[in-house]
Amino acid sequence: MKKIALVMDGWKRFFTYAWPSGILQRIKETGEEVNLYIFNSSGDWSMDDGYNVGEYNIYNLPDFNDFDGIIMDLNNIRYMDVGQRVIDAVKKSGKPAISIANKIDDFYYVGIDNYLAMKEMIAHLYGVHDCRKFWFVMGPADNYESNVRVQALKDFMQELDDPYEENDFYYESFEFGCGYHGFMKLLEDHGDIPEAVICANDNIAVGVCEAAAEMGYQVPDDFCVTGFDNFDKASYYIPRISTIGHIREEVGYRCADILIRIWNGEQVPKFNYTDAEGIFWESCGCESELEIDVREHARDQILYELENTRFEEQVLALEYELLNCKSVREMSNLIPKCIPSMRCDAMYLIIDDHMNDFRQRKDYYQQLIDDENFHVQGYPKQMNIEFAYESGKNIDCEGKTIDSLFPMFDYGKGGTDFLFMPLHFRDKTVGFFVIRNAVYLMEKQYLFKVINALTSGMENLHEKEKLEYMNQLLYCNLLHRPYF
């Protein structure tokens, strides 16, 4: 059985489920005996550096020597040194490695051809709509994909000997706010509007349109706007946003295909591009023949809201029940009971034994002084299997421990995925949570809130046990009694 490691960081608190979905699709098509192991953080979500350190520690969990191929999406990682540590560890393993949408020396690249796609967009504005004066609202200045798109725009202008200024460009993020702030800043700097605003993605394009409307301008009557990625925002916003469309699952699909070909001894090119196409709608003045079923979209949104409301109620019930738990194991048992939406084959909770120290009344005084002995970088050599749930049943794991991911998470059926998520109290790592066959949960974006509720409950319990221990210690010291 071959193993693929997928290392990725969520966009804010959202899972990029397209990658594992595409990878598993290709594995199942070929019938190859391959399983997928996903190491996911949400380190880009919080402004708390301590919290983010705890999230990113999940990348220290795998030994990449245990895997036959490695796929990485490091584009959302907030700290350069974190991404570099992953790159160094993968290189050291010597295993075939693929980088998604980011050029990294010695690794294969899979993603769309951002350069050609952005050139197609500006060529359309230039040739079809006769635009000559542009503003450019782009993503972060240090983002690979955004920078390739910027270079394509600059090269196009230079090839046509059409002048541009650096102050025609605005850089910030891939969020709605970037478009809003970018339009306002460029309008302040230039004093008048361009003929077109080219944006690094659809979120930014919508922000530009909203800022323009606030200032009394209308798109496309006053100027054109274009986006990138063909998210729902492009399809259903008014006006519909001209964009670059691509199927994100194809990236994961191509990654798995490349690894299988490498394992079979085939030669694979370093750069591998998935399909992308220009989609030209009202925001640039085009009329598309593609019909959008607005009623179907509205129906889907209503059903999503109803489903999400039920899930929020389940999370609230879980948070309430966690308050009454007297152990981490009790907390873990509540998850499948309180969250029936958690459709998966199995769940596991692996924790640092230090979680039990106060309850077991160990000699913990020095550790109190040392601010507790949880790991900040890496994981303990041996950890407790605190909870295991398989095929609808709790598994007895009393006293069981692991000192590596395998053989515990080996699995005899190919096309299986395991998702590993960090558990931590800010920067202090207390363990990790594992789900088998979790792609549905990733797509529905259920997991972050469940894990957050569990972690908060564990931290509250730990602090309560710590306080009880300290009170008992103080009481015994006052009475000159031995506590232990």
Side-chain angles (χ1 to χ4, degrees):
M1 182 70 66
K2 285 187 165 55
K3 302 181 181 73
I4 296 175
L6 171 60
V7 177
M8 62 184 193
D9 193 26
W11 178 60
K12 300 300 180 181
R13 63 186 186 278
F14 300 112
F15 292 91
T16 309
Y17 65 88
W19 309 152
S21 178
I23 293 167
L24 292 167
Q25 180 186 348
R26 182 56 180 153
I27 291 171
K28 291 171 182 177
E29 272 184 8
T30 62
E32 294 278 347
E33 293 297 307
V34 182
N35 287 330
L36 176 65
Y37 296 83
I38 307 162
F39 301 91
N40 186 88
S41 81
S42 296
D44 188 41
W45 174 71
S46 174
M47 298 303 293
D48 180 354
D49 288 338
Y51 175 91
N52 296 336
V53 167
E55 283 290 305
Y56 286 137
N57 193 40
I58 194 68
Y59 300 154
N60 292 312
L61 181 62
D63 179 348
F64 292 116
N65 293 295
D66 292 334
F67 297 88
D68 301 281
I70 301 151
I71 302 169
M72 297 166 296
D73 174 9
L74 307 181
N75 295 302
N76 294 327
I77 292 178
R78 179 172 296 182
Y79 311 114
M80 187 177 298
D81 63 314
V82 172
Q84 190 59 52
R85 283 201 301 271
V86 175
I87 292 168
D88 292 344
V90 171
K91 286 184 177 181
K92 187 176 180 180
S93 75
K95 301 301 174 70
I98 300 171
S99 174
I100 292 177
N102 193 0
K103 179 183 176 183
I104 300 176
D105 291 342
D106 302 324
F107 296 163
Y108 295 93
Y109 173 96
V110 174
I112 64 169
D113 191 330
N114 288 279
Y115 188 87
L116 289 182
M118 191 55 97
K119 265 199 167 183
E120 179 183 0
M121 182 60 76
I122 192 172
H124 174 82
L125 293 169
Y126 197 95
V128 176
H129 299 289
D130 201 31
C131 296
R132 296 296 184 272
K133 183 181 179 183
F134 299 92
W135 290 348
F136 309 97
V137 185
M138 310 310 290
D142 60 352
N143 180 270
Y144 173 78
E145 284 195 295
S146 181
N147 286 338
V148 172
R149 295 171 193 177
V150 168
Q151 192 60 53
L153 297 168
K154 291 182 175 180
D155 288 351
F156 182 90
M157 303 286 281
Q158 289 175 344
E159 288 164 9
L160 295 176
D161 199 24
D162 204 345
Y164 68 87
E165 301 292 336
E166 284 300 326
N167 67 352
D168 294 333
F169 288 82
Y170 178 86
Y171 304 90
E172 185 181 318
S173 70
F174 288 116
E175 307 292 343
F176 169 91
C178 172
Y180 185 93
H181 301 150
F183 180 83
M184 292 300 193
K185 180 67 167 62
L186 291 168
L187 182 63
E188 179 185 347
D189 291 347
H190 291 273
D192 59 352
I193 58 174
E195 294 170 317
V197 179
I198 298 178
C199 303
N201 73 358
D202 300 331
N203 292 332
I204 296 171
V206 170
V208 166
C209 291
E210 289 294 309
E214 189 174 306
M215 300 304 292
Y217 300 105
Q218 294 298 317
V219 175
D221 296 344
D222 296 310
F223 61 93
C224 301
V225 171
T226 64
F228 205 106
D229 286 329
N230 194 27
F231 291 147
D232 282 353
K233 292 180 181 67
S235 304
Y236 297 104
Y237 185 74
I238 301 175
R240 288 185 290 182
I241 303 296
S242 294
T243 187
I244 298 293
H246 55 101
I247 300 173
R248 302 174 84 206
E249 284 80 1
E250 286 186 2
V251 172
Y253 184 97
R254 184 70 66 85
C255 288
D257 185 69
I258 288 170
L259 288 175
I260 291 169
R261 289 166 61 194
I262 291 171
W263 296 333
N264 290 335
E266 298 180 33
Q267 292 295 317
V268 177
K270 182 174 181 181
F271 287 91
N272 302 268
Y273 297 113
T274 56
D275 294 334
E277 63 173 337
I279 301 172
F280 304 110
W281 278 332
E282 291 101 345
S283 71
C284 71
C286 286
E287 291 294 331
S288 173
E289 296 180 357
L290 180 64
E291 290 294 326
I292 300 297
D293 191 338
V294 177
R295 294 183 64 186
E296 181 69 19
H297 178 68
R299 175 183 175 275
D300 290 343
Q301 289 298 108
I302 290 169
L303 293 177
Y304 171 78
E305 289 299 327
L306 291 171
E307 184 178 5
N308 196 53
T309 298
R310 286 197 299 270
F311 173 68
E312 294 283 355
E313 291 171 351
Q314 292 167 357
V315 172
L316 287 173
L318 174 64
E319 290 174 338
Y320 173 76
E321 294 292 338
L322 289 173
L323 293 174
N324 300 315
C325 290
K326 294 181 173 58
S327 70
V328 173
R329 184 161 299 169
E330 281 186 35
M331 292 180 174
S332 304
N333 287 329
L334 284 175
I335 294 177
K337 294 177 183 177
C338 292
I339 310 290
S341 302
M342 296 280 284
R343 301 181 194 174
C344 61
D345 291 350
M347 290 183 268
Y348 308 90
L349 176 63
I350 313 298
I351 68 166
D352 187 333
D353 190 48
H354 287 301
M355 276 294 298
N356 298 316
D357 281 349
F358 290 124
R359 182 161 41 86
Q360 294 173 356
R361 299 296 191 262
K362 293 183 180 179
D363 188 356
Y364 208 49
Y365 180 72
Q366 185 60 43
Q367 199 162 320
L368 289 173
I369 297 173
D370 294 339
D371 194 25
E372 304 180 16
N373 199 26
F374 289 117
H375 282 61
V376 173
Q377 288 290 327
Y379 288 78
K381 291 182 179 179
Q382 189 173 76
M383 302 184 74
N384 295 341
I385 305 171
E386 193 71 13
F387 170 75
Y389 176 86
E390 297 178 355
S391 303
K393 297 180 180 179
N394 289 359
I395 306 300
D396 181 20
C397 50
E398 185 76 34
K400 293 182 179 178
T401 62
I402 62 170
D403 53 15
S404 64
L405 297 184
F406 307 108
M408 180 172 179
F409 297 112
D410 279 322
Y411 199 70
K413 183 180 179 182
T416 300
D417 64 272
F418 288 86
L419 172 63
F420 296 81
M421 293 171 292
L423 296 171
H424 55 97
F425 305 157
R426 292 193 73 242
D427 61 341
K428 297 178 179 63
T429 291
V430 297
F432 57 92
F433 198 71
V434 188
I435 297 182
R436 190 173 76 212
N437 289 334
V439 172
Y440 170 84
L441 298 174
M442 296 175 70
E443 181 179 357
K444 293 297 183 180
Q445 304 295 346
Y446 287 153
L447 288 171
F448 180 85
K449 290 183 179 179
V450 174
I451 298 301
N452 201 43
L454 176 62
T455 304
S456 296
M458 289 170 60
E459 187 167 14
N460 289 336
L461 175 64
H462 186 68
E463 289 299 318
K464 183 169 70 174
E465 290 174 345
K466 179 179 178 179
L467 182 60
E468 289 176 356
Y469 175 91
M470 293 174 70
N471 285 337
Q472 287 290 330
L473 190 64
L474 178 61
Y475 176 77
C476 292
N477 284 340
L478 288 174
L479 297 180
H480 302 291
R481 292 180 180 176
Y483 182 59
F484 304 104

